[in-house]
Amino acid sequence: HQSKMAGVGKRSHEEINAVLKKLLPECDSEYARYPMAYPRWLSLGEKGPKGEPTWIKSDDVGIKKDYVYGRGPGGPAYYHLLTTNAYINLYTKISNSRPGGCCSFSAEAREKVDEWDCANRILHARHVSKIPNDGAAVKAQIASASDTAQMNYNADNLQGFIGAGAGPGM
């Protein structure tokens, strides 16, 4: 299968999962596999599909299978990959690790940026999605972008309208 998610190119699902694991080892989990298709995010205090906790209060002791270390309502902790907190932390991590140098792009450097962009787009969609489902996440991302564009269009036109009637003697 090839991805239909905008911006991840023509990578197969296997290639996308390899990129996610390469850049973010926490994604080496059945719960992070692309395409993700779960019905809802788990709340803190719930149990995961195998009875595991949704967060574990701890210092960062490295990679913990099915969890992401970071900040959240439980404080610094490991958050299960079926919680929104895991993807908020993963998106923050990937956003802060963009490969450098836009002007010295060898083929290898372009590939690193392309891989980063692929992972960044997926994690952005997941971290803002109302459910852990990549298809729904893309639709929500498009709707959000459309709403933002419409809001900016309306604001620009309102400015012009207000400015047109605000001259002397009005």
Side-chain angles (χ1 to χ4, degrees):
H1 295 105
Q2 285 194 333
S3 169
K4 294 181 182 173
M5 180 181 245
V8 295
K10 295 187 181 276
R11 295 178 188 271
S12 69
H13 294 171
E14 292 77 23
E15 291 168 327
I16 291 169
N17 286 311
V19 165
L20 289 171
K21 286 188 257 186
K22 176 181 175 182
L23 299 180
L24 298 159
E26 299 93 333
C27 290
D28 188 8
S29 166
E30 65 186 286
Y31 301 124
R33 281 194 60 77
Y34 182 89
M36 183 184 261
Y38 292 94
R40 68 180 183 85
W41 292 113
L42 297 177
S43 299
L44 299 187
E46 274 189 273
K47 296 289 184 190
K50 298 174 187 168
E52 68 274 38
T54 50
W55 68 283
I56 301 168
K57 185 80 171 160
S58 173
D59 291 329
D60 186 355
V61 294
I63 302 298
K64 188 176 216 27
K65 183 80 170 164
D66 302 331
Y67 291 86
V68 175
Y69 186 80
R71 296 180 181 170
Y78 283 91
Y79 292 91
H80 193 282
L81 280 163
L82 289 180
T83 65
T84 56
N85 300 94
Y87 289 94
I88 290 168
N89 285 296
L90 284 172
Y91 181 65
T92 298
K93 185 175 178 180
I94 194 80
S95 296
N96 292 328
S97 67
R98 181 180 173 94
C102 68
C103 300
S104 60
F105 275 0
S106 63
E108 183 181 323
R110 280 193 303 275
E111 179 62 18
K112 284 182 180 179
V113 170
D114 185 52
E115 288 176 345
W116 176 88
D117 187 58
C118 172
N120 186 61
R121 288 174 187 265
I122 291 167
L123 293 170
H124 178 268
R126 286 180 180 181
H127 103 279
V128 297
S129 182
K130 293 191 184 319
I131 61 172
N133 180 305
D134 288 320
V138 170
K139 288 178 185 172
Q141 206 174 25
I142 291 168
S144 175
S146 178
D147 290 348
T148 299
Q150 187 65 52
M151 180 181 67
N152 288 332
Y153 173 81
N154 291 343
D156 289 347
N157 286 321
L158 181 60
Q159 285 276 336
F161 177 75
I162 292 171
M170 294 282 144

